Amino acid sequence: MKKALLSVVRYVWFAALVLFALGYLTSGLSKPHSASTDSQNSAANVSLSDQTESKNHLESKTHLEGLRAVEASLAQSWETQGVVPAEIADWLTICRRMSLSLVGNGLSLEEIRSLQSLPESEREAVHLESLLNDSRFHDYWGERWTRFLVGADEGPFLVYRRRRFRVWLSEQFAANQRYDEMVKRLVAAEGLWTDRPEVNFLTVTFDSNDGQPDPVRLAARTSRAFLGLRIDCLQCHNDFLGNVSLGELEDLREGQQSDFHQLAAFYTAAKTNGLQGVRENQVDYKYQYLGTDDEINVEPSVPYSADLLPKNGKPRERLAAWITHPENCQSARAAVSHVWALLFGRSATDAVDNLPLDAPVPPHIDVLATQFVKSGFNMRHLIRLIVKSSAFRVSSRAESEITELHEDAAAVFPLTRLRPEQVAGSIIQSSRIKKVDRDSSFLVQLQKFGDTNDFVKRYGDMGEDEFTGNSVTISQRLTMLNGKLLRESISDNPVLNASSHIRRFSNDDGQAVESIYLCVLNRYPSNEEREHFVNRLKQSGGRLAAIEDLYWILLNSTEFAWNH
């Protein structure tokens, strides 16, 4: 009797386990039937408190006024330049753009089904708030900003911890830290590079200055990253070609060697003090300018708007206060320019780190900079304004001919190639029904980490060149056509791969084709595409091979490899 009872218990547990596994594998394959269930109310993984906070923010006076100002600026710009903006894209296209720019891959089928349970007018806003509160966003932007601030290399051994710096930046994005506070902590950082991760902004330059922060490299990085100015050439000579204008904004002059080295002088106050790490000391900078016979003492100063520089305080703290001063419009423009480029995949100007003082920027960038400062340097507020604007939501297609003027005026969404890590992330995500994040199993997370690193190494890491428009190389095409990652992602794996789940649990071939399109391209197939591939599935000798072939075709399509 006892053995029989134990046997029954085992079978019950086994049946429960099988039902649980089936539920996991089939979740997300079919459309939700009602918006009233608990799972639908948790659409896109936004908690109730996050939704309430986000709704209050979106309805706030500051946000609405800012959005109206941006829209008015865009409309005025389009009218002035005589361009007609494209129609607003469909919600799935816009949500794919958000996912690619904020977390580095497209939507999962699970996310799409959850969003479909909501009224269409709410889907974009809910997905945006979900992404802003997602650890994937914090980690992805942490890496992207790390490349922008300290580069992609591992730097000097022992005294530089790139991973610590990246994790610290991720934590700043997770906490929605004010941008100006982040900049102040970077510029005026003190302590050890292990327990004060922001110090790595300085220690990455140790290898070029005998174990001390390199003021020349730091001045160049500061001017590009925080000011949007390329003044590197002034290191060696005055501006003979009229490319750099500095001085007072109302009365600009040619850039001088002294402008660069006076900026660099601030960083000579940062000294390595043994086990205490980097500490603030006295400014001690000498330099022999071109055409002179002797070195002279160089006092720290700023290249423009010197009246905004505090008179007293520690040297680097004074510099940080000047960079982040609310009236330093150039610094706000530089931050907006970089966020815009991350969201669109291309700079709003010729280069993300080149906004000359004597050259106008697009009017909407100026408006966004004003709103950014007005919001208290709130990064998420800035992202919301850009993503909710018509510039981000317009289609890449138009009834009339699209010219370069349309893209420059933000009248169409620009076509941009996905970065290598975006390609890898999108391949991996398309092969899973559920989104791959920190809540995924350890095995899935470990596999994603290893597969992404291996793919990017083979595909080609772009390093610091965030927004280059290089064409596809032969090796990149071969990596996609014959690569290990793509092959393993579409193969028959009943535990992990979406191709196996779709084959086993789709109601019919039409649903299978639809699910694959949603997984890979984040859109529904056209009637012609649906009919063609449904016929191919019916006529195929093996349904599994046909589904894998469709996955392979879509993953190697031009549409998959571009943001649009």
Side-chain angles (χ1 to χ4, degrees), residues 28-81:
L29 285 176
S30 58
K31 294 181 181 178
H33 301 290
S34 169
S36 61
T37 64
D38 292 339
S39 61
Q40 293 158 353
N41 288 335
S42 62
N45 200 31
V46 182
S47 68
L48 183 59
S49 61
D50 288 336
Q51 286 182 335
T52 302
E53 178 187 357
S54 301
K55 184 177 181 181
N56 291 339
H57 181 92
L58 289 171
E59 293 176 349
S60 70
K61 184 177 179 180
T62 300
H63 179 79
L64 294 176
E65 286 181 353
L67 192 56
R68 282 196 290 266
V70 174
E71 290 297 289
S73 175
L74 288 168
Q76 180 63 43
S77 178
W78 293 335
E79 182 179 355
T80 301
Q81 298 183 62

Side-chain angles (χ1 to χ4, degrees), residues 128-398:
L128 175 59
E129 297 310 311
S130 170
L131 293 175
L132 291 177
N133 290 284
D134 195 317
S135 60
R136 295 177 299 165
F137 161 60
H138 313 145
D139 293 340
Y140 184 61
W141 272 46
E143 172 61 27
R144 298 294 294 273
W145 278 82
T146 296
R147 288 173 178 252
F148 185 58
L149 295 173
V150 296
D153 298 331
E154 288 304 319
F157 185 60
L158 293 180
V159 295
Y160 175 62
R161 296 291 187 274
R162 187 182 189 277
R163 180 182 174 278
R164 292 277 293 158
F165 185 78
R166 174 178 55 78
V167 170
W168 177 79
L169 279 175
S170 299
E171 291 170 348
Q172 306 309 299
F173 287 116
N176 195 25
Q177 179 65 271
R178 290 173 56 119
Y179 172 78
D180 57 338
E181 292 299 324
M182 288 171 55
V183 173
K184 288 176 181 177
R185 291 182 65 179
L186 289 169
V187 173
E190 290 188 76
L192 281 171
W193 41 92
T194 50
D195 60 354
R196 297 295 297 272
E198 60 269 33
V199 173
N200 289 283
F201 178 71
L202 307 174
T203 62
V204 70
T205 67
F206 272 24
D207 56 344
S208 57
N209 195 39
D210 296 327
Q212 300 289 338
D214 188 335
V216 171
R217 286 175 61 186
L218 288 167
R221 183 70 71 174
T222 296
S223 63
R224 283 179 175 247
F226 301 138
L227 305 176
L229 295 176
R230 291 184 176 180
I231 63 174
D232 311 41
C233 61
L234 300 181
Q235 176 186 345
C236 301
H237 56 77
N238 295 338
D239 176 35
F240 301 126
L241 302 177
N243 293 328
V244 182
S245 296
L246 299 172
E248 297 307 314
L249 298 180
E250 300 79 11
D251 186 23
L252 295 174
R253 55 168 173 75
E254 291 183 349
Q256 305 293 312
Q257 249 190 307
S258 57
D259 291 313
F260 181 90
H261 291 285
Q262 286 171 346
L263 181 63
F266 284 101
Y267 286 104
T268 61
K271 305 291 185 183
T272 306
N273 189 11
L275 296 178
Q276 291 185 327
V278 176
R279 293 295 177 187
E280 194 78 350
N281 211 308
Q282 299 297 317
V283 170
D284 179 20
Y285 193 41
K286 298 179 182 295
Y287 192 79
Q288 182 179 347
Y289 289 117
L290 184 67
T292 62
D293 296 326
D294 301 306
E295 288 185 340
I296 63 170
N297 288 320
V298 179
E299 293 297 322
S301 185
V302 292
Y304 66 89
S305 297
D307 57 306
L308 302 181
L309 180 68
K311 303 297 182 184
N312 302 312
K314 296 179 179 179
R316 288 186 295 141
E317 288 182 353
R318 293 172 60 217
L319 174 61
W322 174 79
I323 292 173
T324 58
H325 195 290
E327 294 180 29
N328 190 346
C329 300
Q330 183 67 17
S331 179
R333 287 193 194 110
V336 170
S337 175
H338 190 61
V339 172
W340 180 282
L342 287 172
L343 292 172
F344 284 84
R346 57 163 280 180
S347 175
T349 57
D350 290 338
V352 68
D353 59 355
N354 188 23
L355 308 169
L357 294 176
D358 58 348
V361 298
H364 50 274
I365 297 297
D366 261 337
V367 172
L368 286 166
T370 300
Q371 296 300 322
F372 183 46
V373 174
K374 192 174 180 180
S375 71
F377 296 93
N378 189 315
M379 189 72 79
R380 292 189 188 181
H381 176 76
L382 175 60
I383 293 172
R384 288 186 181 103
L385 286 183
I386 296 176
V387 170
K388 296 287 288 183
S389 72
S390 297
F392 190 87
R393 299 179 67 243
V394 289
S395 175
S396 295
R397 299 177 178 179

